[in-house]
Amino acid sequence: MSTRLARGGRLIDRSKPITISFNGRRMPAFLGDTLASAVLANDQMMVGRSFKYHRPRGIMASGAEEPNALVGLGAGPRFEPNQRMTTTEAFDGAETASQNHWPSLEFDIGAINNKFSRFLPGGFYYKTFMWPRSFWKNVYEPFIRQSAGLGKVPTDRDADRYEQAYAYADVVVVGAGIAGLTAALGAARSGKRVIVLEMTPACGGRAVVDGFAIDGQPAEGWVAAAVDTLRGMDNVTLMTRTMATGLYDHGYLMAAQRIADHTPGDGRPKQRLWRIRTAEVITATGAIERPLSFAGNDIPGVMLAAAVRDYAVNYGISIGDRTVIVTNNDDAYRTALALLDAGLTVPAVIDARPTVTGALPQAVRDRGVRVLEGRGIAKVHGGKRVTGVEVCVQAGEGAMIEELGCDCVAMSGGWSPVVHLWSHCGGKLLWDEARAMFRPDANRPPLGADGRGMVRAVGAANGMLTPDEVLTDAHAAFGDGTAPQTNAPDEARMEPVWIMPQGAGPKLRAKMWLDPQNDVKVSDVQLAAREGYESVEHTKRYTTLGMATDQGKISNINGLAVLSDALHQQIPATGTTTFRPPYTPLTLGTIAAEARGEIFQPLRRTPIHEWHEAHGVEWEPVGLWRRPFCYKRAGETTHAAVNREVRNTRTNLGLLDASTLGKILVKGPDAGKFLDMLYTGVMSTLPVGKCRYGLMCNEQGFLSDDGVVVRLSEDSWLCHTTSGGADRIHGWMEDWLQCEWWDWKVYTANLTEQFAQIAVVGPNARKVLEKLGGMDVSKATLPFMTFAEGQLGGFNARVFRISFSGELSYEIAVPASEGRAFWEKLIEAGQEFGVMPYGTECLHILRAEKGFIMIGDETDGTVIPQDLNMAWAISKKKPDYLGKRGQERSFLASPDRWKLVGLETLDGSVLPEGAYAVAPGVNANGQRNVQGRVTSTYFSPTLNRGIAMGLVKHGPDRMGEVLDFPGDGGKVHQARIVDQVFYDKEGAKNDA
Amino acid sequence: MKRYSGFAVAREGLNYHLGWGRAWRNPAPRKKYDVIIVGAGGHGLATAYYLGKNYGIRNVAILEKGWLGGGNTGRNTTIIRSNYLQDPSAAIYEKARSLYETLSQDLNYNVMFSPRGLLMLAQTHHEVRGYRRTVYANNLQGVETEWIGPDRVKQLVPIINIDGPRYPVLGALYQARGGTARHDAVAWGYARACSDMGMDIIQQCEVTGIRQANGKVTGVDTTKGSIDCDKLGLVVAGHTSVLAEMGGFRLPIESLALQALVSEPIKPCMDVVVMANTVHGYMSQSDKGEMVIGGGTDGFNNYTQRGSWQHVEETIRALVETFPMISRLKMLRQWGGIVDMTGDRSPILSKTPLGNCFVNCGWGTGGFKAIPGSGWAMAELMAKGAPGPLTEEFSMYRFREGKFIDESVAAGVAH
């Protein structure tokens, strides 16, 4: 059984007892425990079920590489599935529950898969579940989905908040073991700005567990001193509980800091995402121990040797009373010594190497422990817990020599450097034959913005495994003088062991787990190779090896060694799969951070926004803006409100908040020339004080934006754009000015937010402005399409006499800070003229009644001005403008293009939005032929009937023809082609 | 080749599955083939498959620089739909979707086509108009889609937040027979079937030159030697421009990295595919239980196939806002694939200026769903040497005429 020892445990605080629960069982633990150590202290070895066969799963590791120990943590709005117990700090009251079983962890119906595992090898589902066809969606897939998946589904909105922060550094050191601390000290002493990131709460890494001395003092003391030194330096920031999750181009490093994960609900953010830009990254990320592949290596109680040691030294935990150690290297003997120190029994060390010498094995022998040379484990006994192992000759086929009773197996297959950050951004690996590992190839590092290497791996992350190698390597990164020295003994080389025993037959191989979470065995990889899935990526995808939540941290190297063997090729010829961010799974909330709810995206408010809010507004999102769709009065429907606004604007006076309209100032000696290229019409000849409507096309010739251009002065033009187009058009202008016409003397400035703009519309428009006084807005002084600047009712105003409604209309811009006051002034002064605000829907109807086009309705990226009968807005004289060449291409110049017309239903109803006019027959692909479509359609309160515009093939030549528009539910709408101007064709109202 | 079935799996199980043979052969290239397809991704393999199946052309080699299915076929978010706006697009994507319906049986390889339904959310009035238009178009094109209201959306996707403060869900374009398939299996299934027809799939074989005489293609130079052919099909997505240059012509294509990611697996909670174009994100749940999430393309041309950060962040924000319960799930893995974007975001299936050389590319962010239809149409084009109804509008010369097939109209971002 696993239990807490009476003493020991350098990371736990025995004076601070806490209680956690696991599957409802309350368990005493101490502050400093992880969830894993907490349950192990209470003899809870089995903590979950595997993904595919639902086999019992125990804790295997003590860190981020743990494949099995995932639990649901918390409840309700703080429930979090798939929480890795080995890296989650225990806290008082933590509720945990095991996953992927029904009805219980101990008795799981899904384990029937295990009974049939022989018939469910890797990739079996590609070969079956095909008949009958409908069964995939309706029977097989739902069943597979139910038995797959892992964690439970959270149901509530997250109760926690998350932050993001930025940091800048010369050097980021990832990992605060002795390698990272050594490198950080060197970098810091050279004056660089240094950030040190450590994923666990404590620094020191493996050295403090292994317990040798550095420069004459115990590792623990050396580490504490180094941390103190770093914390005392102004140019160093050391962050614990911070995981460097991914490295991106140009030294962009993401790091997730756990702030309140272990103190939930204390008001602090749960996590903070650091976005760090750094010139250099030092990866001192250590190495991960490899398991050994022997039959039954997935049974709870079989653990990594270093993890067994960690639990004993760091947490004062005995995993078992009798621990058999199986290894191919010297390091695992440290586990034997640690267990012996704790008073536990080690029946034997099974070493696959034929002869074992060296200081560490000798120390173990000296304490009376048998070392079985050239031996392996043929098979582990046990179901939900190890009960013993069968010892065999490693070089043989698995015949039992002796059986050892035990309740824990500590295995070590050597170590693999953690190369993820090195690899994320293109760093390459080399196969180090002597060390039997992939490690960073210093000659092929990831390159930074300057084309030089931006990452350097040091210590175990660079393949240096003995303490002196580690320190020498890390010291060399920045240091001068001599590297720190240790008293750690020399270690003999490990000997690669990929299968145990070497000659194991198919029966044993089918029980050797490579990936215990996804249930991928040696036999599965061999099957993949046999079936031709020879690329390491094919094998991975076919068997799901390394695709579990641990992303193959412990399984990948063993897997590709087995694959290489099956393909009779060297390991480097097989290569690795790609290391992708993040290093460990990163909470989505941390990525999204504060961008939620109302502030999911920035909200742009016009200066009049709050007034609208207070006056019954129904909002419509337009880009980041919100615009009033209409203003509803008590008891009024949206439709009724819109109709009221239309009628009132046509008969009295309407006010529109047009502040969202793009307003881009274009200024400079070449501004006229520039605008002549940008717009299809001529803007350079526009007299000062005049307005001109203009169209902009993209290079392909398609209409992209429209608006009124105003000549403010000799060298300045003000370009109005659509509300949604302002930023895009400003970017478009700058694109041309910066990339193509960089020698033109033009400046642009987006003044959209500097002005509030109000459209004053209707027969009483002039009257209300005259009442405000201060400027002559008469027809004679300020005729249609002119502009004047002056004072209006005491406000500095720019008055544009333009109209998008067919009514007498002024658009008036005032400084944004005065927008609200000016609006209220207009409302007040307009009372006697029947003033009402109106929204975007009314705006749309007013313009549609007049046959004016709307960007985004009449246009969709495939429409050219000529389609909209707007050839008048295209200069014939100009040698060039953006889109001109595009429009000359045969398809755009074709007479068969669909052109804009008005459409009137025969029964006065409203045509459906987006409906198509059908033509007889079908095309070569069997699709119904079409000859037009509806682009805008509204109920016109002015005309008391439906009106629409549409694009119709040869439309303007077919006035009076009736077209069929199939609508919803089989209904066909019939509409007649008419002139696109429905109201006031002579323009008398605007001319008033 | 052994036929796959539940019975066969059981039979082989008794012998520890030692009896399974190769899914596809691993041959050395011969001197000459009738047809060489460059690119053993989904589109290339499907082209070869339908050349054999529909036209009896089986003396075919498919050359692959890396490993088959290792490009965008193995990197996408596995979405299948045909709710396209423009007629030519709807025709080829619906052809593909309908072939997917029976692909597992046709190939005797379970590609796990799952017509679980697909929703494209409308979150602005503008989108409502756009999707209503698409529904009308689809109904005339023979593509079954419908417009559904917010209540129905909530019913289909219980985990969705339909009344978010910024972009409430106003409805959705719903394609009930849209869905997903297992992307690798599509490539593997086609590869196995091609190999079974006697075609040679040659991996680790990079094309280094295109040989020609009298304006016609005569063969290719590769890292495994020169190989002759009568007809050549270039089906290599992001690297098409590189091959076109070898053939002496240019294509209007830009290559960009498209971002995607998956979460850790959880039990089933979402049965349909949801795409939210206004806020930029789409999500489905794989059979393994991972939430499969697609983002946007990087804002600069590149060939890196790396995951980058900006779009991931933007996409996650959008999805956490749309599906608040995913906030405490974790991103397991992110990656990028290189997509080949044309000026109108529609593909090119076309003859080229080089005689007997054909090109199939430009699927951009939406190629996976098209694989069977693309292969079917490309096979017709190559076999007949002239475009059929499915490919006619997708000629590379349309850019010269301005005859775009612009789908950006309907789908703002995502495919």
Side-chain angles (χ1 to χ4, degrees):
Chain A
M1 63 180 288
S2 68
T3 184
R4 183 88 66 184
L5 297 163
R7 57 191 171 78
R10 39 179 300 279
L11 293 180
I12 55 168
D13 183 347
R14 290 186 189 246
S15 70
K16 297 208 171 103
I18 58 172
T19 306
I20 70 156
S21 76
F22 178 83
N23 286 349
R25 191 181 141 209
R26 288 166 57 81
M27 296 182 173
F30 295 112
L31 207 63
D33 266 322
T34 62
L35 291 178
S37 67
V39 301
L40 286 171
N42 291 274
D43 195 26
Q44 186 71 44
M45 171 53 76
M46 178 176 159
V47 291
R49 292 274 177 172
S50 64
F51 195 87
K52 185 171 167 188
Y53 300 143
H54 288 243
R55 282 172 68 89
R57 286 292 173 253
I59 295 163
M60 275 188 78
S62 58
E65 68 274 28
E66 170 62 40
N68 292 331
L70 301 173
V71 288
L73 173 64
R78 289 211 163 83
F79 172 73
E80 194 159 355
N82 301 328
Q83 198 63 18
R84 201 178 321 95
M85 301 175 80
T86 51
T87 54
T88 305
E89 292 171 63
F91 54 88
D92 197 35
E95 290 173 41
T96 64
S98 54
Q99 304 188 144
N100 206 35
H101 47 66
W102 186 86
S104 74
L105 176 62
E106 292 296 321
F107 180 75
D108 176 16
I109 291 284
I112 189 137
N113 289 358
N114 188 33
K115 297 275 179 247
F116 292 101
S117 64
R118 181 171 193 173
F119 305 107
L120 311 175
F124 77 96
Y125 30 74
Y126 299 120
K127 297 183 177 124
T128 179
F129 298 139
M130 286 182 273
W131 300 97
R133 190 158 69 83
S134 64
F135 269 40
W136 176 254
K137 183 188 172 217
N138 299 317
V139 181
Y140 304 133
E141 187 179 48
F143 177 77
I144 288 172
R145 288 184 69 196
Q146 274 306 334
S147 63
L150 270 183
K152 280 195 187 130
V153 178
T155 51
D156 296 3
R157 187 177 281 268
D158 194 338
D160 280 313
R161 64 192 181 88
Y162 303 81
E163 278 185 359
Q164 294 198 348
Y166 294 82
Y168 304 87
D170 297 317
V171 180
V172 173
V173 178
V174 182
I178 57 171
L181 293 171
T182 300
L185 284 168
R189 284 175 179 143
S190 72
K192 292 174 187 286
R193 283 181 305 171
V194 179
I195 296 174
V196 185
L197 306 175
E198 167 54 44
M199 66 179 182
T200 69
C203 299
R206 294 223 55 77
V208 289
V209 175
D210 293 352
F212 45 82
I214 303 174
D215 283 348
Q217 66 173 318
E220 199 156 5
W222 185 91
V223 165
V227 169
D228 281 349
T229 306
L230 289 168
R231 290 213 189 271
M233 297 176 82
D234 290 339
N235 57 334
V236 178
T237 307
L238 193 158
M239 293 193 272
T240 55
R241 295 193 171 97
T242 307
M243 169 73 74
T245 66
L247 179 62
Y248 302 87
D249 281 327
H250 299 184
Y252 198 34
L253 184 78
M254 291 299 143
Q257 185 178 22
R258 304 189 304 278
I259 298 172
D261 269 354
H262 55 297
T263 57
D266 72 348
R268 295 184 299 167
K270 178 172 152 68
Q271 294 186 359
R272 182 181 296 133
L273 184 75
W274 286 93
R275 296 142 62 109
I276 304 170
R277 191 67 76 170
T278 180
E280 192 175 1
V281 177
I282 302 291
T283 60
T285 43
I288 288 174
E289 194 167 29
R290 292 176 204 151
L292 286 165
S293 300
F294 46 84
N297 62 351
D298 69 321
I299 294 172
V302 180
M303 293 176 69
L304 294 173
V308 172
R309 183 153 96 236
D310 286 343
Y311 286 113
V313 176
N314 282 337
Y315 304 100
I317 283 171
S318 150
I319 300 295
D321 301 336
R322 292 168 57 83
T323 301
V324 167
I325 291 167
V326 55
T327 183
N328 63 350
N329 62 73
D330 279 7
D331 180 66
Y333 288 82
R334 290 194 170 100
T335 299
L337 295 171
L339 296 178
L340 295 170
D341 288 347
L344 299 165
T345 307
V346 178
V349 178
I350 302 169
D351 197 319
R353 295 174 292 184
T355 50
V356 181
T357 53
L360 285 165
Q362 192 54 48
V364 172
R365 284 177 169 130
D366 290 348
R367 295 178 71 166
V369 174
R370 282 201 297 157
V371 174
L372 308 178
E373 295 174 327
R375 298 292 186 259
I377 290 179
K379 189 192 276 182
V380 179
H381 290 202
K384 292 174 184 171
R385 183 73 203 241
V386 171
T387 57
V389 296
E390 291 181 13
V391 180
C392 65
V393 175
Q394 167 59 18
E397 293 176 0
M400 184 174 75
I401 298 172
E402 65 176 307
E403 186 169 344
L404 296 171
C406 63
D407 54 358
C408 174
V409 176
M411 62 180 163
S412 178
W415 294 80
S416 301
V418 174
V419 295
H420 297 64
L421 283 178
W422 170 272
S423 304
H424 284 168
C425 224
K428 301 287 185 263
L429 304 176
L430 59 81
W431 175 254
D432 186 328
E433 188 68 40
R435 293 181 164 91
M437 61 168 66
F438 279 105
R439 62 185 185 85
D441 182 350
N443 295 319
R444 294 182 298 163
L447 302 180
D450 57 2
R452 290 187 298 194
M454 62 174 177
V455 182
R456 176 171 179 156
V458 301
N462 193 30
M464 306 297 137
L465 292 183
T466 64
D468 282 310
E469 277 182 328
V470 165
L471 289 168
T472 305
D473 188 47
H475 181 78
F478 296 102
D480 38 41
T482 54
Q485 304 291 315
T486 78
N487 67 346
D490 284 343
E491 293 175 36
R493 281 279 152 80
M494 64 93 93
E495 282 179 22
V497 170
W498 306 118
I499 294 180
M500 180 174 272
Q502 204 176 299
K507 198 170 174 184
L508 288 180
R509 295 201 304 260
K511 294 292 175 193
M512 293 176 185
W513 261 256
L514 291 166
D515 184 330
Q517 183 184 128
N518 272 359
D519 285 323
V520 182
K521 299 148 294 170
V522 166
S523 56
D524 295 319
V525 169
Q526 291 170 332
L527 173 66
R530 194 154 56 242
E531 293 193 272
Y533 299 89
E534 294 168 335
S535 151
V536 63
E537 285 285 353
H538 282 155
T539 301
K540 167 189 147 182
R541 289 152 182 260
Y542 188 64
T543 63
T544 73
L545 173 73
M547 289 170 75
T549 59
D550 59 302
Q551 290 283 287
K553 289 188 181 69
I554 64 163
S555 60
N556 274 351
I557 300 296
N558 285 353
L560 63 92
V562 170
L563 177 63
S564 302
D565 181 60
L567 298 173
H568 311 293
Q569 67 189 19
Q570 297 298 306
I571 287 174
T574 304
T576 66
T577 54
T578 313
F579 295 87
R580 302 280 191 188
Y583 177 61
T584 55
L586 177 58
T587 301
L588 299 183
T590 310
I591 302 172
E594 304 279 16
R596 297 182 185 200
E598 287 287 352
I599 55 168
F600 159 56
Q601 284 178 354
L603 179 66
R604 298 178 78 181
R605 295 178 166 88
T606 75
I608 312 165
H609 186 96
E610 279 73 23
W611 190 94
H612 304 316
E613 198 97 75
H615 290 80
V617 70
E618 185 175 313
W619 290 114
E620 173 182 17
V622 177
L624 297 176
W625 296 104
R626 276 184 190 169
R627 300 193 71 184
F629 183 79
C630 66
Y631 303 80
K632 290 205 281 202
R633 295 181 169 178
E636 207 173 30
T637 65
T638 301
H639 186 62
V642 169
N643 290 345
R644 172 180 53 73
E645 290 171 10
V646 171
R647 287 195 203 96
N648 187 68
T649 306
R650 289 265 182 243
T651 52
N652 295 309
L653 178 61
L655 296 185
L656 175 81
D657 181 0
S659 304
T660 59
L661 272 187
K663 308 168 203 71
I664 301 171
L665 182 69
V666 178
K667 186 176 171 70
D670 292 323
K673 179 166 86 167
F674 174 60
L675 293 179
D676 284 351
M677 283 302 291
L678 223 58
Y679 286 92
T680 60
V682 181
M683 295 301 168
S684 56
T685 59
L686 186 65
V688 174
K690 294 274 189 191
C691 307
R692 186 169 287 163
Y693 176 72
L695 302 175
M696 276 191 231
C697 297
N698 60 21
E699 302 105 307
Q700 306 294 350
F702 299 113
L703 187 50
S704 84
D705 209 69
D706 71 344
V708 171
V709 178
V710 186
R711 182 97 180 244
L712 296 175
S713 67
E714 198 48 44
D715 73 343
S716 327
W717 282 255
L718 180 67
C719 301
H720 288 108
T721 74
T722 58
S723 293
D727 296 326
R728 175 173 54 85
I729 295 299
H730 187 224
W732 172 246
M733 288 178 171
E734 284 299 319
D735 191 357
W736 285 96
L737 286 173
Q738 292 179 33
C739 301
E740 306 293 335
W741 304 322
W742 47 269
D743 54 339
W744 291 16
K745 297 188 175 95
V746 184
Y747 283 101
T748 70
N750 187 346
L751 304 180
T752 303
E753 291 187 335
Q754 272 59 53
F755 291 92
Q757 194 144 319
I758 298 166
V760 182
V761 183
N764 295 337
R766 190 174 289 132
K767 290 179 201 159
V768 74
L769 298 187
E770 282 170 347
K771 183 179 170 188
L772 290 183
M775 269 175 79
D776 184 354
V777 294
S778 67
K779 184 174 177 179
T781 311
L782 194 62
F784 187 52
M785 297 306 270
T786 59
F787 145 78
E789 202 159 4
Q791 287 260 319
L792 205 53
F795 292 84
N796 292 318
R798 286 173 168 176
V799 182
F800 311 101
R801 171 64 184 94
I802 54 183
S803 178
F804 193 45
S805 55
E807 295 299 322
L808 173 63
S809 157
Y810 299 83
E811 289 198 17
I812 302 166
V814 300
S817 58
E818 294 172 40
R820 170 80 184 262
F822 185 64
W823 173 273
E824 287 181 341
K825 184 105 178 173
L826 281 167
I827 293 281
E828 185 195 319
Q831 288 306 315
E832 63 176 289
F833 306 114
V835 70
M836 283 183 200
Y838 68 89
T840 50
E841 185 66 356
C842 171
L843 161 84
H844 279 111
I845 294 173
L846 294 174
R847 66 94 191 168
E849 288 174 342
K850 284 293 295 177
F852 296 150
I853 64 135
M854 178 67 93
I855 298 293
D857 286 350
E858 274 62 43
T859 71
D860 63 0
T862 68
V863 172
I864 56 176
Q866 292 87 337
D867 298 341
L868 305 176
N869 314 318
M870 295 177 95
W872 55 265
I874 301 173
S875 166
K876 310 283 181 298
K877 288 177 279 186
K878 289 199 299 188
D880 201 8
Y881 59 85
L882 294 178
K884 183 178 169 73
R885 265 188 302 170
Q887 288 164 0
E888 286 166 357
R889 287 176 298 177
S890 57
F891 186 69
L892 277 69
S894 162
D896 292 335
R897 290 183 68 82
W898 294 4
K899 296 210 165 189
L900 190 68
V901 291
L903 296 165
E904 268 183 8
T905 48
L906 301 188
D907 60 2
S909 62
V910 180
L911 274 173
E913 281 179 336
Y916 280 77
V918 289
V922 294
N923 66 17
N925 288 316
Q927 299 167 318
R928 183 68 193 264
N929 287 326
V930 289
Q931 54 178 330
R933 64 181 176 88
V934 177
T935 57
S936 291
T937 173
Y938 299 97
F939 175 76
S940 161
T942 313
L943 304 170
N944 198 31
R945 57 164 299 131
I947 60 166
M949 287 192 277
L951 290 161
V952 175
K953 188 175 183 182
H954 303 144
D957 303 331
R958 298 167 63 184
M959 287 295 154
E961 258 187 63
V962 174
L963 301 177
D964 286 349
F965 293 84
D968 301 309
K971 181 174 165 60
V972 176
H973 303 259
Q974 290 198 303
R976 180 175 286 115
I977 300 175
V978 296
D979 185 75
Q980 75 194 63
V981 185
F982 293 91
Y983 177 70
D984 187 22
K985 288 185 199 288
E986 305 73 30
K989 297 203 74 181
N990 177 42
D991 207 28
Chain B
M1 186 178 74
K2 271 195 180 123
R3 210 174 150 70
Y4 290 163
S5 68
F7 173 74
V9 171
R11 185 189 61 218
E12 295 299 325
L14 298 174
N15 186 29
Y16 297 97
H17 301 278
L18 296 175
W20 292 111
R22 300 184 63 94
W24 49 80
R25 293 171 295 106
N26 188 21
R30 297 202 293 269
K31 281 302 293 174
K32 180 175 185 299
Y33 295 90
D34 293 345
V35 172
I36 288 178
I37 303 292
V38 186
H43 292 263
L45 291 164
T47 300
Y49 174 75
Y50 293 110
L51 274 172
K53 189 177 179 202
N54 294 354
Y55 301 96
I57 301 172
R58 298 184 174 191
N59 183 17
V60 176
I62 306 113
L63 311 184
E64 171 55 50
K65 166 173 86 163
W67 40 280
L68 72 88
N72 294 337
T73 303
R75 291 163 194 270
N76 62 81
T77 49
T78 79
I79 295 172
I80 292 166
R81 64 183 179 91
S82 60
N83 55 353
Y84 280 73
L85 179 66
Q86 311 291 3
D87 283 352
S89 320
I92 197 162
Y93 286 106
E94 177 60 13
K95 177 71 189 174
R97 200 205 58 76
S98 63
L99 287 169
Y100 265 123
E101 293 264 8
T102 56
L103 195 59
S104 296
Q105 291 73 32
D106 291 347
L107 298 178
N108 181 233
Y109 199 103
N110 191 352
V111 302
M112 304 180 195
F113 174 62
S114 170
R116 50 180 66 185
L118 175 140
L119 295 173
M120 293 171 91
L121 302 181
Q123 291 174 284
T124 64
H125 290 294
H126 187 74
E127 260 181 325
V128 172
R129 285 194 292 271
Y131 289 149
R132 295 195 72 106
R133 175 181 168 191
T134 304
V135 169
Y136 289 124
N138 287 163
N139 289 346
L140 298 170
Q141 291 154 344
V143 176
E144 283 179 40
T145 60
E146 61 180 308
W147 168 257
I148 60 172
D151 292 346
R152 183 80 197 286
V153 171
K154 183 74 183 170
Q155 201 180 7
L156 287 164
V157 198
I159 63 170
I160 203 170
N161 176 28
I162 57 167
D163 45 13
R166 293 302 301 275
Y167 297 103
V169 173
L170 305 174
L173 170 63
Y174 179 44
Q175 183 168 26
R177 296 298 287 182
T180 60
R182 173 85 184 101
H183 57 8
D184 292 323
V186 172
W188 299 341
Y190 276 122
R192 177 166 165 268
C194 286
S195 182
D196 190 44
M197 282 191 277
M199 298 179 179
D200 288 350
I201 303 166
I202 301 160
Q203 302 182 78
Q204 308 293 331
C205 178
E206 182 172 356
V207 171
T208 54
I210 294 177
R211 287 184 290 117
Q212 46 182 293
N214 306 319
K216 287 189 175 159
V217 72
T218 58
V220 292
D221 298 321
T222 77
T223 50
K224 292 190 174 177
S226 294
I227 313 173
D228 294 340
C229 66
D230 293 334
K231 288 182 179 176
L232 179 66
L234 309 179
V235 197
V236 297
H239 285 75
T240 306
S241 340
V242 179
L243 277 172
E245 196 175 351
M246 294 177 198
F249 57 95
R250 295 182 67 194
L251 288 165
I253 282 183
E254 295 187 6
S255 296
L256 298 159
L258 175 68
Q259 300 296 325
L261 63 116
V262 291
S263 78
E264 292 182 333
I266 53 171
K267 290 292 176 187
C269 65
M270 182 169 166
D271 294 333
V272 296
V273 182
V274 174
M275 312 178 75
N277 287 333
T278 288
V279 294
H280 293 198
Y282 49 101
M283 185 167 94
S284 63
Q285 187 173 24
S286 73
D287 287 344
K288 275 186 76 183
E290 301 147 332
M291 308 313 287
V292 183
I293 293 172
T297 46
D298 287 347
F300 45 90
N301 295 1
N302 72 95
Y303 286 112
T304 64
Q305 299 191 325
R306 269 179 224 155
S308 67
W309 186 256
Q310 187 205 324
H311 278 290
V312 164
E313 191 171 297
E314 182 181 285
T315 300
I316 300 286
R317 280 178 178 165
L319 294 174
V320 170
E321 183 60 15
T322 310
F323 307 98
M325 50 69 68
I326 69 168
S327 174
R328 291 174 94 93
L329 303 187
K330 302 182 198 78
M331 170 165 86
L332 179 60
R333 185 177 176 86
Q334 67 165 121
W335 66 92
I338 302 306
V339 297
D340 42 340
M341 308 288 271
T342 61
D344 61 359
R345 301 295 186 259
S346 287
I348 294 170
L349 294 100
S350 180
K351 297 166 75 166
T352 69
L354 178 59
N356 290 337
C357 175
F358 304 84
V359 65
N360 178 352
C361 66
W363 293 95
T365 59
F368 174 71
K369 67 177 76 68
I371 284 172
S374 162
W376 181 285
M378 183 72 177
E380 182 184 27
L381 174 67
M382 291 188 72
K384 295 180 177 168
L390 284 172
T391 51
E392 198 168 9
E393 303 286 331
F394 291 106
S395 157
M396 64 184 277
Y397 299 105
R398 73 177 184 273
F399 299 96
R400 190 181 288 168
E401 300 159 20
K403 201 172 181 186
F404 287 6
I405 306 163
D406 194 335
E407 286 294 338
S408 59
V409 181
V413 205
H415 277 265

